[in-house]
Every structure is written in C-alpha cells, then in structure tokens.
Amino acid sequence: MSRRQVLYHYWARWGCWTKFQPLDHIREYYGESIALYFAWLGCYTQWLLPAGIVGLACFLYGLFTVRTFVPGREVCDKRNPIRMCPFCDEALGCDYWFLHNLCFPRQVSYLFDHAGTVFFAVFMVTWAVLFLEAWKRKCAKLTHHWDVFDYEHEEETIRPQYARLCTESRPNPITSKMEPYFPPAIRRTRIVIGAITSLLLVRGRCRTVFQPLLCCN
C-alpha cells in the first residue's frame, strides 16, 4: 500500500479513533510541521479526558446540591414571598413583583457557580501547567527522534486587510525590512472607541443583572 492508503486504513477512519496516531507515517507523508501539529492535537485530546471527568463531577455536584443551597431556597420559597420593587415608576404601569420569580435562573446559575467550581478552577490551573510541561517533553522527544531540532517556522504573513488599511511603510527596527506602519494616532483612536464600546456593554449587562435585585428604600 502507498503512504496515503496506510494513513487512510490505519488512521483517517472513524473506526480507528481508539488507536494511537501513526506519527511517523504522518511525518513521512505530510512533513514534520503537520506531524507536530497532530502530535500536539493528540496530546491535548488525551489531557482533556481528566479535565472533562473533573468538570462533569463538579457539574453533577451542583446538580445534586441545588435544592439544598440555602440562598437558593430562600429565593424559591413561595410560602414566605419577598416583595420586590417595580422596575420603573408605578405611574408608568410597572408593578411590584416577587423574588421567587427568579427561582429558575438562580438554580441554573448555581449549577455553574458553587463551591465545586472553585476546586475546578484550581484544578484547571494545575492541569494547564502539567499539560504544558508534558507537551514540551513530548515535543522534545519527537524533534530528537526526527532530527528537527533546528526546524525554523515560516514567517507569519501580514493580513491583507491590515496591509490595505496601512497608508505608510517603515523599516522594522529588528529586521530592517519595510513593513506596513499603522500611525499611533489612528491606533489610539480605535483603542478608545473599543474601550468605550466595551464599557457600555458591561454597563448594560450589569444593569440587566442587578436591577431586579434592587429594593425600595
């Protein structure tokens, strides 16, 4: 069989998802760059398994304890309803409402925001560090096996959209090559516009979240 047929029969098929990747064959057919990419993808997928198990356990913990969460029970208690202020003036047609109307959203938010999520956050930080070190070790092993320690990556090309918007060109202070130059004044203007837009979106989101929880003075 040809190299392409070998990869098709022993790798690029749904029935082969439980098998390890034939990285040497991938390297022979696609080259070192593509082979290293699939090596990283396989390593990342393997390391996602423990993260997925821990994440599922944290979600199930929230699912089983949602009805015993005291603040949530107080929100959902219909026997002692808490009367909340209207969203606007009563003259405009807004009426008082009860806190238990937020029962379902509160329960849903608890599934992803409880004591278990703190543990999951710490676990993911540790997981990220260990995964990075494991990949460095695997990458060094493969580059030594394939004798590509001095492999040089291709330079990243400039996006056509960016080059079209740049009206000036200046030499790069490191490589001395002419590159498109974006004036600082235009860059600062775009940063300010983006920051203002983000702040307005955050303000609107905060108002939507916290306004129902405001009570009359």
Side-chain angles (χ1 to χ4, degrees), residues 60-133:
L60 293 177
Y61 171 81
L63 187 64
F64 292 145
T65 59
V66 63
R67 296 188 179 278
T68 60
F69 184 55
V70 176
R73 293 174 59 184
E74 293 177 353
V75 172
C76 299
D77 188 7
K78 295 183 179 181
R79 294 173 297 179
N80 299 309
I82 300 177
R83 198 179 187 190
M84 307 296 292
C85 293
F87 294 120
C88 60
D89 199 318
E90 291 184 80
L92 299 177
C94 296
D95 198 2
Y96 288 87
W97 57 283
F98 294 98
L99 185 61
H100 60 73
N101 294 337
L102 298 177
C103 179
F104 180 73
R106 184 65 186 89
Q107 290 179 339
V108 172
S109 64
Y110 176 78
L111 296 178
F112 306 96
D113 186 12
H114 52 80
T117 55
V118 178
F119 166 77
F120 184 67
V122 176
F123 171 82
M124 288 305 298
V125 171
T126 308
W127 175 90
V129 174
L130 295 178
F131 163 71
L132 182 60
E133 295 301 322

Side-chain angles (χ1 to χ4, degrees), residues 18-179:
T18 58
K19 300 180 180 179
F20 289 98
Q21 299 184 96
L23 296 177
D24 289 329
H25 292 285
I26 297 174
R27 178 227 177 185
E28 292 176 359
Y29 187 77
Y30 289 106
E32 287 81 5
S33 179
I34 303 299
L36 285 174
Y37 165 75
F38 280 108
W40 174 86
L41 194 63
C43 181
Y44 180 64
T45 304
Q46 290 177 351
W47 275 78
L48 281 179
L49 181 61
I53 294 175
V54 175
L56 179 61
C58 292
F59 177 79
L60 293 177
Y61 171 81
L63 187 64
F64 292 145
T65 59
V66 63
R67 296 188 179 278
T68 60
F69 184 55
V70 176
R73 293 174 59 184
E74 293 177 353
V75 172
C76 299
D77 188 7
K78 295 183 179 181
R79 294 173 297 179
N80 299 309
I82 300 177
R83 198 179 187 190
M84 307 296 292
C85 293
F87 294 120
C88 60
D89 199 318
E90 291 184 80
L92 299 177
C94 296
D95 198 2
Y96 288 87
W97 57 283
F98 294 98
L99 185 61
H100 60 73
N101 294 337
L102 298 177
C103 179
F104 180 73
R106 184 65 186 89
Q107 290 179 339
V108 172
S109 64
Y110 176 78
L111 296 178
F112 306 96
D113 186 12
H114 52 80
T117 55
V118 178
F119 166 77
F120 184 67
V122 176
F123 171 82
M124 288 305 298
V125 171
T126 308
W127 175 90
V129 174
L130 295 178
F131 163 71
L132 182 60
E133 295 301 322
W135 165 242
K136 287 181 180 179
R137 183 173 182 177
K138 185 177 182 64
C139 183
K141 181 180 178 180
L142 291 174
T143 52
H144 179 269
H145 176 62
W146 294 335
D147 193 20
V148 289
F149 273 113
D150 55 348
Y151 179 79
E152 296 182 359
H153 296 278
E154 295 182 359
E155 295 184 2
E156 184 177 357
T157 58
I158 300 176
R159 292 186 299 111
Q161 296 86 348
Y162 176 79
R164 187 178 68 253
L165 295 175
C166 295
T167 58
E168 302 179 16
S169 297
R170 290 189 179 183
N172 188 302
I174 299 177
T175 62
S176 299
K177 295 181 179 180
M178 296 299 294
E179 295 181 350

